[in-house]
Amino acid sequence: FLLAEVKPEFYKDRKAIISQISKTVMQTVGIAPDQVVIYPRGFLTKTTSGKLQRTKYRELYLKGKLKNKISLKDRFKYFRFRVNLLISMLFYFLSSKMKEKNHDLR
C-alpha cells in the first residue's frame, strides 16, 4: 500500500499517475505496491508539527476505510481543519507580538 499526494493538475489523470508510481517503486525497490492511493496535494491531514499523519492513514487502510474518492463532506472537513489551523497560528503570532510589546514597555 502506498499513499501519495500529487499536484492538483496531475490528480485529474489518476490512472497514469498511479501506473507511473507503481512502475517507479518496482524499479527502485524491486517490489510493486499492492495498491496506490493518491490525493491532491494538501488534502491529507497533518500533525501540529506539519508531518503527515501516516499512522492514521495506515489504520484507515487496514480497516478498509480509506477512500479512493473525496466526498464533499471530506472536502469540508479538510477546509475546516485548515481554517482552524490558520486561526490557531494567527493567535500564536499575535500573542507572541503582544508579549514582545509588553516586554519592550518595561
Side-chain angles (χ1 to χ4, degrees):
F1 159 68
L2 189 136
L3 180 63
E5 286 187 311
V6 297
K7 292 180 180 179
E9 59 267 21
F10 297 125
Y11 184 74
K12 294 174 185 171
D13 194 16
R14 290 185 287 280
K15 289 183 182 181
I17 294 296
I18 289 171
S19 175
Q20 185 62 40
I21 289 172
S22 294
K23 182 179 175 183
T24 302
V25 170
M26 180 63 180
Q27 290 173 345
T28 306
V29 182
I31 301 171
D34 293 335
Q35 182 180 10
V36 176
V37 179
I38 63 170
Y39 290 103
R41 181 180 287 166
F43 181 80
L44 299 174
T45 57
K46 297 180 181 180
T47 64
T48 54
S49 63
K51 297 178 183 176
L52 287 177
Q53 294 180 335
R54 289 182 178 88
T55 304
K56 171 186 170 182
Y57 291 107
R58 180 180 178 271
E59 289 174 8
L60 287 172
Y61 174 76
L62 293 174
K63 292 178 182 177
K65 294 183 178 182
L66 188 64
K67 302 172 189 171
N68 287 335
K69 293 187 178 181
I70 303 168
S71 69
L72 186 59
K73 182 179 178 183
D74 288 335
R75 288 175 194 252
F76 179 73
K77 282 182 185 178
Y78 164 72
F79 176 74
R80 191 175 68 201
F81 171 78
R82 293 292 183 183
V83 168
N84 287 337
L85 182 61
L86 182 63
I87 290 169
S88 63
M89 291 170 58
L90 180 63
F91 277 118
Y92 176 79
F93 174 76
L94 291 175
S95 66
S96 66
K97 289 296 179 185
M98 289 180 74
K99 285 179 185 177
E100 285 177 14
K101 186 177 180 180
N102 287 338
H103 185 267
D104 291 342
L105 292 175
R106 292 181 186 180

